[in-house]
Amino acid sequence: MTAGVIGSEFRHERLTVFSDRETGATGAIAVDSTALGPAMGGLRLFAYASLDELIVDALRLARAMSFKNAAAGLELGGGKAVLLDDGRWGDLREERMRAVGRQIEALAGEYITAEDVGTSPGDMQAIAAETAYVAGRPADLGGRGDPSPYTARTVFAAIAAAARIELRRTDLEGLRVGVQGVGNVGGRLVALLTEAGAEVFVADLDEVRAEAVAAAYGATALPLDGFLWGEFDVLAPCALGGAIGLDDVDRIGARIIAGAANNPLADRDVGVALARRGVLYVPDFIANSGGIIHVGSEALGLDAAVTEVRLEASIDRLERILTEARDTGRLPLELAEQHAETVLREGRGNGASRRSPQLS
Ligand code: NAI
C-alpha cells in the first residue's frame, strides 16, 4: 500500500482485511461510521486489479453508505464489504461466503451486510449460516427478498417529482424517458413509467434484454451508442456507475437526470457542468433510496407498515430537496449532502440512536 493512498478523507472507524486460510476468500470490511447505528452496506464481489484498489473501494463505498443511510432516515451507520473475484468462486462459493459470514460475525454486529454488485440473495443465505448480521435473504427463506422493486419505486418518484418541479408537468403522459440499463431495477422502472403514460426508450449492453423489456412494456429499444445524448426529457441511468463524463455534458439532450445507478457521474465536476447547462441532476443516493430502506428495515426488524412510512418519508424529503434547489439555485447534491451531514453530526436517524438490530 502506498503511503498516500489512505488520506484523512478515508479515516474510518474500522478496516478489516482478510484472506481466509481454508477457502481463499479475500476481501475487506470497512466500517465508516456507527454514529447512527450498526454500519450497513452491501457485499460486492469484483475483479479488483490489486489489494490497494480493493481497500480503497471498500473505504469509499462505506463512506458513501454513511451518507446514504443518513439521508434515507435509517438508524444505520455506513459500512461496506468487498471481495476479490479471483475467478475461483465457482465451486467454492458457498464455503467462501460462509467464511465471509464468520468475518462479519467477528465484528459482533458492528457491520451488517446485504447483496450488492456480484452477490445474490442466495449468497446472503450462505452467510446467514454463520451470522445473523445479514439482510436481503430470499423471501421464501425468511428474508425480504429482492430490493429492486423498491429501488425502482423511489427512482420513479424522483422522476415524477423532478418533472413536476423542473418541467411543471402534472403527469407523465408523453414524457420522453431514456432508461440506460434494464436489469432488475431498470426493467421495473420501465414498467412503472409506461404504466404512467411516459414514452420510454431503452438501451442495454445486453441487446436481447433491451429488446425483451421494450416488447414487454411497449417501450422502444435504441442502440447503446449515443444513447446518453438522446433527445429525452429525462435520462435514467440504471446500469453501472461513472457512465456520464465531462465530455458528455455538452451533448446531453435531457433536462433531468434521475436513475438508480450509484455514482452515475464520473466525478463532481460533471455535476457542476451539468447544472451550468441547466440540466437537473437528482443525486443517486436520494433517488435510489428505496433499496436500502427495504433491506435496512429488514436489518432493523421494522415491519411492513413502518417500512412503508419510511419509503414515503424519503420521497417527501426528495421533493423538498428538489423544491429548495429550484427556489435557492443551489445544487440538489449539495442540499442532499448537507442534510445527510446534519443527520450524521447530530447522530439521529428517525429519532432512534445506536442500538442492536433485531435480526431474525
Ligand atoms: P442489474 O445487474 O440487474 O442490471 C444492470 C443492467 O445494466 C444489466 O441489464 C446490464 O446488462 C446493463 N449494463 C451494464 N453495463 C452497461 C452499460 N455500459 N450500458 C448499458 N447497460 C449496461 O443491476 P440492478 O440491480 O438493476 O442495478 C442497477 C444499478 O442500480 C446499479 O448501478 C446498482 O448499483 C444500482 N442500485 C441498485 C439497487 C437495487 O435495489 N438493485 C439499489 C441501489 C442502487
Side-chain angles (χ1 to χ4, degrees):
M1 172 91 46
T2 48
V5 170
I6 300 188
S8 59
E9 76 274 26
F10 282 140
R11 279 184 200 147
H12 281 48
E13 283 182 23
R14 188 189 296 275
L15 172 67
T16 303
V17 181
F18 60 88
S19 186
D20 184 63
R21 191 186 298 275
E22 311 223 314
T23 64
T26 299
I29 302 173
V31 172
D32 175 47
S33 166
T34 55
L36 298 178
M40 181 162 189
L43 173 67
R44 181 165 293 194
L45 175 64
F46 189 75
Y48 293 101
S50 68
L51 201 53
D52 271 9
E53 202 185 283
L54 176 146
I55 289 171
V56 169
D57 206 33
L59 294 169
R60 271 207 191 105
L61 292 166
R63 174 68 46 87
M65 286 312 299
S66 294
F67 274 89
K68 187 167 179 169
N69 291 338
L74 292 164
E75 301 89 345
L76 291 167
K80 198 88 183 180
V82 299
L83 296 170
L84 179 67
D85 185 353
D86 55 3
R88 297 186 52 231
W89 278 80
D91 292 347
L92 292 169
R93 194 159 184 120
E94 186 170 352
E95 279 314 301
R96 283 187 165 190
M97 285 300 170
R98 289 187 65 154
V100 174
R102 290 192 288 278
Q103 293 291 337
I104 294 169
E105 179 65 13
L107 295 176
E110 215 170 272
Y111 168 70
I112 304 171
T113 202
E115 75 175 284
D116 191 61
V117 174
T119 61
S120 66
D123 293 328
M124 299 307 118
Q125 190 58 26
I127 289 171
E130 303 286 346
T131 184
Y133 300 112
V134 52
R137 286 179 299 134
D140 54 353
L141 293 171
R144 296 225 181 139
D146 185 7
S148 305
Y150 302 87
T151 307
R153 185 168 144 199
T154 52
V155 172
F156 175 77
I159 291 173
R164 192 165 56 248
I165 292 161
E166 186 69 13
L167 308 176
R168 305 196 180 283
R169 299 282 303 242
T170 50
D171 60 37
L172 302 190
E173 198 62 46
L175 189 80
R176 291 168 61 89
V177 186
V179 181
Q180 185 212 25
V182 284
N184 288 322
V185 179
R188 288 181 170 87
L189 177 64
V190 172
L192 293 172
L193 288 165
T194 50
E195 209 175 284
E199 191 183 350
V200 182
F201 302 87
V202 301
D204 197 295
L205 212 51
D206 181 342
E207 288 175 21
V208 176
R209 184 177 290 172
E211 290 289 351
V213 168
Y217 303 114
T220 306
L222 295 177
L224 195 52
D225 209 21
F227 186 79
L228 286 179
W229 316 321
E231 287 303 315
F232 312 127
D233 297 306
V234 181
L235 175 66
C238 295
L240 299 184
I244 303 165
L246 262 185
D247 290 349
D248 295 308
V249 171
D250 283 339
R251 291 189 274 189
I252 295 280
R255 290 272 310 276
I256 293 164
I257 298 178
N262 288 313
N263 306 318
L265 310 186
D267 55 46
R268 286 185 90 86
D269 292 348
V270 178
V272 174
L274 283 170
R276 262 195 220 117
R277 269 206 66 214
V279 179
L280 172 69
Y281 167 61
V282 182
D284 50 354
F285 64 94
I286 59 171
N288 67 21
S289 65
I292 191 66
I293 292 173
H294 179 71
V295 288
S297 297
E298 179 183 341
L300 289 165
L302 306 178
D303 65 22
V306 177
T307 306
E308 185 59 29
V309 170
R310 298 286 175 96
L311 270 169
E312 284 301 322
S314 83
I315 292 169
D316 285 351
R317 202 157 36 235
L318 184 154
E319 290 183 350
R320 280 203 305 277
I321 286 172
L322 295 185
T323 305
E324 189 180 339
R326 180 198 58 197
D327 294 347
T328 61
R330 293 180 65 193
L331 293 185
L333 178 60
E334 213 179 286
L335 293 170
E337 285 181 347
Q338 187 180 303
H339 164 71
E341 267 162 17
T342 306
V343 172
L344 275 169
R345 201 173 42 246
E346 294 175 2
R348 58 175 171 83
N350 269 323
S353 58
R354 294 176 77 146
R355 66 181 167 92
S356 292
Q358 274 120 51
L359 292 162
S360 51

